[in-house]
Amino acid sequence: MADDDTITLLLRLNKADLQTKFKDEVKPVQTVGPRTLSDCKMVWKEPVLLDIGGKLFKTTLTTLHRDGNSLLAQMFSILGFQLPRERNGSYFIDRDGEHFQHILNYLRGCFTLEGLDRATLNEIAYEAEFYQLRGLYELLRPGSPRSAVTRMASQPVGNGVLCQLGGGSSNWVNPATTGKVAVSGSFDSLINMIGRSPDKTTGSCHDARGKHLVLDLKSCLLKPTHCSMAYNGTCHTGASWSLTGCETAAGGTWKQLAAGQVWSDDCKPQLFAVTENAGSYYQQFKLTCVSGDNRGGNCFCFHVGQLELYGELHYMKSYAKYVPVA
C-alpha cells in the first residue's frame, strides 16, 4: 500500500477522536489541563496502594511518575485511566503480581539483575512491555527487534479503534452495523461482542473451546499495541483467550498477538498488551476461546464482550469518508 494511497491515523488515546496523518506529518499531542506531578498529588492520595492480581504494594506518586511515558504514570495522571478505588483504598490492576516488585524497584532506581535466572528475566521483560517501561525492557532485551513498548496516553480503557470507527464515544454506532467492519465466527451475538456495554448474550456457554470471532477491518490496517475485553456478567468469569492477526483477508497466515484470561467479577474492560508480532499491520483479528473458566470444571464457558483494539490505524483514500471529523 503506497503512501500516496493512504491516510495514516495515529490513535491519540488522550483525545476523543483520531488525529489524521497527512503527508507523513503527525500533529503533536496537545496537553489538556495540568499534568505536573504537583497537580497529580492534589488529585491522588499518597501513599498509593496497588493491588496487582491480589498482591498489595505501597508506593508513591513520585515513583510511579519516574518514567513519564509509562502506563503507570498515565494511569495516575490528571487525565488518567479513571481507576476505581477499592474498599481498602487500593487500585486494582488485573495483572500477575509476582514480579511487580521488580517493576517498582526499577522505578525506585534499585533494580538489579543479580540472582535472576533467564526465565525470570523474560517474565519481567513481558511485564515491562505491558507497563511500557522502555528502559527496563531494553535493559532486559538489548537490541531486540520486537520492542512493542509504545506510549499509550491517557484515556478510559474501551475507547480504541472500534470506538473511533463507530463515530467516537459520544455518538457511537456499532461499526459492524454500518459496514465499516465485518464480524464472523462461531460465538453467539457476534456483532454485540464488539459493543461498548455488557451484553449477556455474547460469547458461548458450555464447551466454547475453539469457538471464535473474526473481526475484519475491511479497508483498514492496524498495527496493534493493546486490546481490551470484559466479562459480560452472566454465568462464570475466567475465560481464557487467544488473539491472532492476519495481514490480509485473502487466506494469509494467522500470527499470534496476545493471550490472557478475563478474570473479573464486574463488567469493566480489562487491558492487555500485544506481546508478539506487534510490528506488522493486520486487516483481520481472531479472538478464540482456548480453555475453561475460573471454576476448574469442564463447563468451559466464554462469556466475554466489549472487544476493543488499540494501535496505529491506516485508512485507504477510498475509505477516508469514515474518518471522524475533530
Side-chain angles (χ1 to χ4, degrees):
M1 184 163 53
D3 288 341
D4 293 338
D5 296 329
T6 64
I7 299 175
T8 303
L9 297 178
L10 180 63
L11 287 180
R12 300 295 189 185
L13 295 180
N14 64 333
K15 290 181 175 288
D17 298 306
L18 293 173
Q19 292 189 350
T20 310
K21 179 182 177 184
F22 293 102
K23 300 180 182 180
D24 296 326
E25 184 173 337
V26 180
K27 296 180 180 179
V29 179
Q30 298 180 3
T31 301
V32 181
R35 300 181 64 90
T36 67
L37 181 58
S38 297
D39 292 320
C40 291
K41 287 184 176 182
M42 297 176 64
V43 176
W44 302 93
K45 294 182 178 180
E46 290 190 289
V48 178
L49 184 62
L50 299 176
D51 182 344
I52 312 297
K55 295 185 178 182
L56 297 178
F57 299 86
K58 187 179 291 187
T59 186
T60 66
L61 285 172
T62 300
T63 296
L64 296 176
H65 279 252
R66 195 79 67 187
D67 183 338
N69 292 330
S70 73
L71 189 62
L72 290 169
Q74 296 298 320
M75 284 179 172
F76 292 91
S77 65
I78 294 294
L79 302 175
F81 279 88
Q82 301 178 4
L83 293 176
R85 196 171 188 180
E86 304 297 325
R87 291 183 179 180
N88 65 352
S90 69
Y91 297 95
F92 178 72
I93 299 177
D94 191 15
R95 196 72 178 173
D96 191 340
E98 181 179 358
H99 300 306
F100 192 73
Q101 61 177 332
H102 299 299
I103 298 296
L104 285 181
N105 284 342
Y106 169 76
L107 292 172
R108 292 164 176 158
C110 57
F111 174 75
T112 176
L113 301 176
E114 186 176 352
L116 300 176
D117 58 32
R118 178 169 297 182
T120 300
L121 293 175
N122 284 334
E123 292 170 359
I124 297 173
Y126 279 117
E127 296 306 300
E129 192 170 40
F130 175 80
Y131 292 111
Q132 299 171 39
L133 293 166
R134 180 178 295 276
L136 178 57
Y137 183 88
E138 293 180 349
L139 174 66
L140 298 170
R141 293 184 176 177
S144 172
R146 185 186 60 80
S147 178
V149 183
T150 305
R151 179 176 181 179
M152 189 174 176
S154 303
Q155 180 79 3
V157 176
N159 291 0
V161 171
L162 296 175
C163 173
Q164 306 304 328
L165 290 177
S169 58
S170 59
N171 300 301
W172 190 80
V173 177
N174 192 315
T177 66
T178 59
K180 297 177 184 179
V181 304
V183 292
S184 60
S186 50
F187 285 131
D188 299 329
S189 300
L190 289 167
I191 290 178
N192 292 337
M193 284 192 71
I194 63 170
R196 291 179 55 77
S197 59
D199 186 323
K200 293 184 178 181
T201 67
T202 58
S204 181
C205 202
H206 304 300
D207 194 351
R209 289 173 296 179
K211 292 187 177 181
H212 65 278
L213 172 145
V214 174
L215 171 65
D216 190 340
L217 299 181
K218 299 180 75 170
S219 297
C220 304
L221 296 175
L222 175 69
K223 182 192 293 185
T225 60
H226 294 77
C227 67
S228 64
M229 62 196 78
Y231 169 52
N232 72 3
T234 189
C235 199
H236 305 289
T237 183
S240 296
W241 54 270
S242 172
L243 183 70
T244 54
C246 185
E247 295 179 7
T248 70
T253 301
W254 288 95
K255 298 180 180 179
Q256 181 68 31
L257 300 175
Q261 190 171 28
V262 180
W263 194 288
S264 176
D265 291 326
D266 59 35
C267 299
K268 297 177 182 178
Q270 299 174 24
L271 185 69
F272 303 91
V274 171
T275 57
E276 300 182 58
N277 300 303
S280 300
Y281 288 90
Y282 302 93
Q283 180 180 336
Q284 292 187 326
F285 296 85
K286 181 189 290 186
L287 178 69
T288 304
C289 173
V290 295
S291 63
D293 54 47
N294 68 353
R295 296 181 307 158
N298 57 2
C299 182
F300 302 110
C301 295
F302 193 81
H303 297 292
V304 172
Q306 301 183 66
L307 175 65
E308 182 61 285
L309 302 171
Y310 310 83
E312 184 176 306
L313 189 69
H314 283 248
Y315 287 74
M316 295 179 63
K317 275 189 176 180
S318 61
Y319 204 63
K321 60 183 179 181
Y322 294 126
V323 177
V325 178

